[in-house]
Amino acid sequence: MNQKSTIVPELKERQRWMRVLAMAPVTALEDAWQALDDRPDYTLLRAPEVGSAMVRARAGGSGGQFNMGEMTVTRCVVRLSNGTAGHAYVAGRDKRKTELAAAFDAILQGEDRRIELLPSLIVPLENKQQTHRHIRAQKVQATRVNFFTMVRGDNQR
Amino acid sequence: MYVAVKGGEQAIDNAHKLLAEDRRGNPEHPELTLEQISEQMAYAVDRVMTEGSLYDRELAALAIKQARGDLVEAIFLLRAYRTTLPRLAVTEAIKTGEMAVERRISATYKDLPGGQILGPTFDYTHRLLDFKLAAEGEAPAPAERVDSAPDATMPRVSDFLNNEDLIELELPDSDETEVPDLTRAPLDFPADRATRLQNLARGDEGFLMALGYSTQRGYGRTHPFAGEIRMGAVAVEVVPEELGFAIQIGEITVTECEMVNQFKGSATSLPQFTRGYGLGFGHCERKTMAMALVDRSLRAQELGEDADAPAQDPEFVLYHSDNVEASGFVQHLKLPHYVDFQSELETVRTLRSEQMATLTKKAAE
């Protein structure tokens, strides 16, 4: 299960775009898809399917695992005419978004398209996601507080 | 025991039509959208997701709308929907230590790496009704922003105590594949901690809060401190079999509470703090604090403490924490019990006439 020790650079790259695609709004993926000049044909190896994922957590944050509850998830697998399979598992119930994420995953595995699509699609989406996170973090940081302990019975004279 | 009845279809149909009309309310007022509920009734959505045991803001908002704001009914609706979903994956354990923190407070340390971060909170508000909110259309002042970057790491309070060996360690189990799941197998006793935590995570907030409160008032006291409460977004990863590597499917917001509790030690171990844990979907601080109190109380036996208070009794707590089950059994009392009641009527009449006869006989003597 744990592949972390054997992660190769290409795999890390793929994990990165799969993450960015999963976190992107469907409208952004739809616009990008429509804007592709040569949209490839693909077949659905596994049509978009909505289901659940059981979320695991750890007692005390670091201890034994327990099942905390489920979340909705949608999965899809597509295949391009050249045989490349694209996969997507996306939180939520958006079938169209998941299908587009799988299609882009397939396309991005081809080196030619990757050179074009990484800077034109993935990087801008990732930047947007980071900006959003950054603004939120700035607002949260404004609520950082320093408490001063009042010594009981310490009357000033 | 209730019995099946026939008939009444028309009346039932009409009752549901009346419910639908009442749910909509006065049509002169605009209808609520799911976005409005999700954005402006966010904590109601969080509670329904936590106790409905399904993270999906839109579905929880729909359940709240359908239930006319009755959150326990909404939780029931979400649970019922949950059973229709095929299980596509089990996630990797979420890493709350790597949370994008939106709130993080400790009642045990004033100064700690990462700082005390209040985030969006009701704490320190005056609890006075704000009539400005009654007037529509006024946008709130924008939240302040500061440019200082958050501390890169936000270690857990329990880690500081760990460094001095002052608190018990929470270590992963050796076998991580066999995690009990209450959605697959019914509750059985003795219940291990993983089962208890799953039960408490979806348990009724009111029930757990009352139990937690009872421990504070002396019924199974555990001397707790809120070591740390943190809320924020965590990444969720799954390892699909067909891929064999981890992919991030999204983020969820969770609230986590770690209680630090006293423990007197034993003949073989030095005194050490013990831990209670609470975790829930969304922002649900009260729930996770109560959960952490009850989690710790349920460890009484394991820690060699007297276990005579309700909050320390696993069967009492775990069998009664689920508000879908509880609501079902309490509310079934309104279903037709005509046959049962007829037989009880007969019994009471017989008992009364027998006793009357005895009394009359005695009086005559």
Side-chain angles (χ1 to χ4, degrees), chain B residues 346-361:
Chain B
E346 278 307 302
T347 314
V348 174
R349 283 189 181 125
T350 313
L351 286 171
R352 283 171 64 95
S353 63
E354 278 171 8
Q355 198 171 338
M356 284 293 275
T358 323
L359 287 174
T360 321
K361 206 172 145 195

Side-chain angles (χ1 to χ4, degrees), chain B residues 9 42-43 50 76 103 125 140 144 170 193-194 199 204 216 252 259 264 270 275 301 306-307 330 334 337 350 362:
Chain B
E9 288 89 350
Y43 291 175
T50 295
F76 190 173
R103 172 165 168 80
T125 61
E144 297 294 330
E170 288 275 22
R193 184 134 182 248
N199 176 288
D204 182 75
Q216 290 180 282
I252 60 173
M259 286 286 176
K264 57 182 184 296
L270 291 169
R275 300 154 68 128
Q301 263 199 320
D306 293 336
V330 167
K334 66 194 172 188
H337 283 67
T350 313
K362 268 190 184 155

Side-chain angles (χ1 to χ4, degrees), chain B residues 39 43 46 183 185 215 225 253 256 258 278 360:
Chain B
E39 294 290 318
Y43 291 175
D46 288 346
T183 68
T215 68
F225 296 91
T253 295
E256 178 183 56
E258 279 215 81
T360 321

Side-chain angles (χ1 to χ4, degrees), chain A residues 9-22 24 29 32-33 36 38 40 78 80 82 84-88 99-125:
Chain A
E10 304 90 82
L11 178 52
K12 267 197 166 163
E13 184 97 271
R14 185 166 175 209
Q15 286 173 313
R16 174 188 170 205
W17 75 61
M18 289 179 91
R19 180 189 71 235
V20 171
L21 291 168
L29 299 189
W33 181 254
L36 281 183
D38 47 347
V78 304
L80 302 181
N82 68 8
T84 311
H87 295 253
E99 183 175 330
L100 287 169
F104 276 117
D105 176 53
I107 299 171
L108 280 155
Q109 289 175 62
E111 201 175 344
D112 297 352
R113 302 303 295 269
R114 178 159 70 240
I115 289 166
E116 167 207 334
L117 279 175
L118 270 185
S120 71
L121 174 66
I122 298 300
V123 172
L125 283 176

Side-chain angles (χ1 to χ4, degrees), chain B residues 7-17:
Chain B
E9 288 89 350
Q10 192 59 55
I12 291 170
D13 212 27
N14 291 346
H16 293 165
K17 279 185 183 146

Side-chain angles (χ1 to χ4, degrees), chain A residues 28-46:
Chain A
L29 299 189
E30 189 71 72
D31 291 350
W33 181 254
Q34 299 304 334
L36 281 183
D37 20 343
D38 47 347
R39 282 193 291 280
D41 288 331
Y42 62 80
T43 52
L44 291 171
L45 279 187
R46 182 187 264 160

